[in-house]
Amino acid sequence: MRRRNYCCLIAVAMAVLLFIMFMCGAISSHTSVASRSHADFRVSGRALYKLDVSWPKKPELFSGQVFAAAVNHLQGLVYVAQRGENIPKVLVFSTDGDFLQAWNTSTLEMPHGMFLANASGDPSVWITDVGTGPYGHTVKQYSPSGKLLQVLGSPGKAGSSLSPLQFDQPAEIFIHSSGEIYIVDGDGGMNNRLIKLSRDLQVLWMHGEKGQGLAQFYIPHSVAVDSYQRVWVADRGNKRIQVFNSVTGDWLGSWGSCFKDDAPYSVRFTPDQKYMVVAQLNANQITLLEAPPVGIIGQCQVISTIQLAEDIKPHLVDLDLKNADLYVAEIGASQAQKFIRL
Ligand SMILES: *[C@@H]1O[C@H](CO)[C@@H](O)[C@H](O)[C@H]1NC(C)=O
Ligand SMILES: *[C@@H]1O[C@H](CO)[C@@H](O)[C@H](O)[C@H]1NC(C)=O
């Protein structure tokens, strides 16, 4: 009897010791991950996303300031655009985090916004370039391997002419599955324009006035079209999102109350159209808002926020339309990160 108790005691002591060792290991491995890749994040509200700390497998490949990401959900590819001297301007990863390719094109100066078009047909990657050299102030279409296919704008010439296609720091492009093109121009230059083009580049409608009034802009920074014929624009300088009818261009509404502290930098929708994903660069925050049903815009409502560590500076985002995973381009941290839809 006595002896059995003694054995029991040793077994319990060993179990306690093992438990303590396990906990210490778990805590130290957690902190080492956090300090290695700026992986601190905190979710408030509904938990919709969690960070994938293993994407990409070799984060040391990021060699410049990361400005934009674009996902081909059918091929499982993630394009990441970065800025800097003598570095590849686009890196291609798989959604599993494998590095696949760096573009060696010299036709890109300072990538700003990026969009993956026509994933189900002949995919191409569109990039807005705010550079001031011979290829700047343009919107360019590339093949998936980085071959330049088409240039919109007057390369190397910033301008605010009558031609809507003379850009000054074009910020982002969105191409609908119909092939119709939406461009926001620009990122602090002379133009403050939202332009809709047909597939063959005819101007269908445009809003092009600088100001704080309805349908006026101050630094229109990001654009997305939802499944209900509505165009959403991150009107950064005015700290609001404005909404338009995609067919007529009519102004439908505006959201400002959710962005009093920091402007919206990006607009994207989850593939189920339930949430809008907004990056707020200075607040180091990704904000998920309820996307209103067809028709009315109403008031904005924040469902969830992902608070990133200080100085991460999330700029633009894109979503994997297959599984709603989120890719965030982070200027401050010089990296892109993947968040998995829970
Ligand atoms: C990249 O460089 C290689 C070797 O010079 C060349 O064969 C290839 O065409 C280039 N790719 C692009 C997309 O420019
Ligand atoms: C997408 O690619 C297919 C195949 O090349 C092409 O027929 C179609 O016109 C493209 N669609 C758009 C919107 O560009």
Side-chain angles (χ1 to χ4, degrees), residues 220-236:
H221 195 259
S222 177
V223 57
V225 181
D226 68 14
S227 303
Y228 310 109
Q229 298 191 334
R230 295 178 301 197
V231 189
W232 300 74
V233 177
D235 184 9
R236 197 185 100 186

Side-chain angles (χ1 to χ4, degrees), residues 16 31 42 60 67-69 105 128 161 189-190 222 251 304 318 321:
V16 168
T31 43
R42 195 161 30 84
E60 64 272 18
F67 265 74
T105 179
T128 69
S161 73
M190 284 182 283
S222 177
W251 183 88
S304 176
D318 201 22
L321 296 179

Side-chain angles (χ1 to χ4, degrees), residues 101-106 142-148:
Q101 195 195 6
W103 287 8
N104 52 4
T105 179
S106 58
Y142 289 90
S143 78
S145 62
K147 186 169 174 272
L148 182 59

Side-chain angles (χ1 to χ4, degrees), residues 58-76:
K58 289 186 180 158
E60 64 272 18
L61 288 168
F62 296 123
S63 46
Q65 282 187 312
V66 174
F67 265 74
V71 186
N72 183 330
H73 65 292
L74 295 177
Q75 296 181 341

Side-chain angles (χ1 to χ4, degrees), residues 118 121-123 175-179 199:
N118 206 4
D122 195 2
I175 300 181
H176 191 261
S177 52
S178 63
R199 282 181 69 145

